[in-house]
């Protein structure tokens, strides 16, 4: 039997165990981070393959490996805090974190309030349904149905704008969406394509992604507004890893599904 814990990969046991750091200057520079000796990075820990917490309590994933590579380039340690998405951006604004790596898509609204590094990957919105479903082929086919999506995310905004569901249910992350879709409590879901494909492949779920790739967007590290010096250093680390092939190795590891 498929268990919620297996889908969450142990996240429930450790969410919140990464302590939020002491707030300090809202616009850290690369030299500030080097003097500190570590970079405080926030993530949800609920979005495999980007980020998750394994059964041993270790934070893992594509975002996490990227964070460690970036921090290694800066000569510092990566320290992670896992918390609900709705607390991450306010925490960044309050100076509790130095950066966020949680499959954050670059949008004009976020650019008005934060500084982004160069993108390290892209992802798109997708529609997820049960394997035996033959009637839902595109997001427009969700009209009038019960649809799940992630709370407070680009996914939720897309679902509100395009799905026209009779009932739109918001969830803290993908694991709960998967469980309710499999059980029949949802007719479909509006999710991130990469995470959905990874979950189907890893857990052999009776689900499928259907339809076109919707609104592909670049994903980057998000930093405090005005932290342009730190963004430049992070962007250089990303460019270096893309040039030397390490970025390709990470993509092959996490997105082979």
């Amino acid at each position: 039997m498929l268990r919620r814990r297996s889908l969450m990969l142990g996240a429930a046991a450790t969410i919140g165990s990464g302590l939020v750091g002491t707030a300090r200057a809202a616009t850290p520079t690369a030299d500030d981070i080097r003097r500190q000796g570590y970079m405080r990075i926030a993530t949800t820990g609920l979005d495999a393959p980007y980020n998750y917490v394994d059964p041993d309590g270790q934070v893992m994933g594509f975002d996490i490996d990227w964070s460690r590579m970036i921090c290694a380039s800066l000569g510092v340690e990566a320290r992670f805090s896992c918390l609900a998405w709705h607390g991450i951006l306010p925490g960044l604004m309050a100076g509790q974190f130095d950066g966020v790596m949680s499959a954050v898509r670059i949008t004009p609204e976020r650019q008005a309030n934060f500084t982004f590094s160069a993108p390290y990957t892209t992802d798109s919105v997708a529609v997820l349904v049960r394997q035996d479903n033959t009637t839902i082929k595109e997001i427009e086919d969700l009209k009038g149905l019960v649809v799940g999506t992630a709370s407070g995310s680009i996914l939720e905004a897309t679902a509100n704008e395009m799905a026209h569901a009779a009932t739109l249910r918001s969830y803290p992350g993908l694991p709960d969406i998967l469980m309710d879709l499999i059980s029949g409590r949802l007719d479909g879901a509006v999710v991130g394509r990469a995470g959905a494909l990874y979950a189907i492949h890893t857990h052999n779920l009776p689900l499928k992604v259907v339809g076109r790739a919707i609104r592909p967007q670049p994903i980057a590290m998000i930093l405090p507004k005005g932290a342009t010096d730190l963004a430049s250093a992070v962007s250089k680390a990303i460019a270096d890893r893309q040039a030397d092939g390490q970025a390709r190795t990470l993509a092959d590891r996490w997105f082979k599904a």
Side-chain angles (χ1 to χ4, degrees):
M1 178 185 295
L2 183 66
R3 297 180 298 169
R4 186 180 301 271
R5 179 175 174 82
S6 69
L7 283 173
M8 295 184 72
L9 298 166
T14 55
I15 291 299
S17 64
L19 298 178
V20 174
T22 302
R24 61 160 176 77
T27 55
T29 66
D31 283 343
D32 289 334
I33 298 300
R34 292 186 183 103
R35 282 191 291 268
Q36 180 174 266
Y38 56 87
M39 189 171 187
R40 304 167 303 165
I41 299 173
T43 191
T44 64
L46 289 171
D47 193 12
Y50 290 105
N51 55 83
Y52 65 92
V53 182
D54 73 11
D56 295 324
Q58 300 300 309
V59 65
M60 304 282 289
F62 184 68
D63 288 341
I64 307 309
D65 284 351
W66 256 116
S67 297
R68 292 188 171 119
M69 288 199 307
I70 290 167
C71 286
S73 294
L74 295 175
V76 301
E77 175 191 356
R79 294 187 180 179
F80 300 98
S81 293
C82 294
L83 66 159
W85 172 251
H86 62 76
I88 285 181
L89 296 186
L92 183 63
M93 294 179 76
Q96 294 174 333
F97 314 116
D98 302 310
V100 175
M101 287 287 274
S102 200
V104 182
R105 292 163 172 81
I106 300 174
T107 67
E109 294 78 13
R110 289 172 180 165
Q111 286 177 311
N113 295 292
F114 302 96
T115 298
F116 281 89
S117 72
Y120 58 92
T121 192
T122 60
D123 196 6
S124 59
V125 179
V127 174
L128 186 65
V129 298
R130 288 183 293 278
Q131 186 67 47
D132 60 0
N133 185 287
T134 59
T135 59
I136 299 172
K137 297 180 173 62
E138 295 286 355
I139 193 168
E140 291 80 7
D141 297 327
L142 295 173
K143 183 177 181 179
L145 302 180
V146 180
V147 177
T149 193
S151 175
S153 69
I154 298 300
L155 303 172
E156 185 175 42
T158 301
N160 273 314
E161 181 180 340
M162 299 182 68
H164 303 295
T167 302
L168 183 63
R169 295 178 181 165
S170 297
Y171 295 80
L174 184 61
D176 290 320
I177 295 173
L178 298 174
M179 293 296 292
D180 278 4
L181 186 55
I182 291 169
S183 70
R185 288 188 286 270
L186 295 173
D187 296 310
V190 177
V191 297
R193 178 174 290 267
L197 291 173
Y198 178 85
I200 292 168
H201 172 81
T202 303
H203 301 289
N204 194 28
L205 303 180
L207 303 173
K208 61 183 178 181
V209 169
V210 297
R212 65 192 185 277
I214 303 165
R215 295 178 174 171
Q217 290 176 307
I219 291 174
M221 178 181 278
I222 187 169
L223 302 159
K225 186 175 179 63
T228 54
D229 175 78
L230 180 57
S232 294
V234 170
S235 296
K236 182 180 185 305
I238 291 170
D240 288 347
R241 299 294 77 77
Q242 291 170 336
D244 68 15
Q246 291 188 57
R248 180 71 263 170
T249 298
L250 277 192
D252 290 343
R253 175 187 178 190
W254 291 108
F255 298 104
K256 60 186 176 183

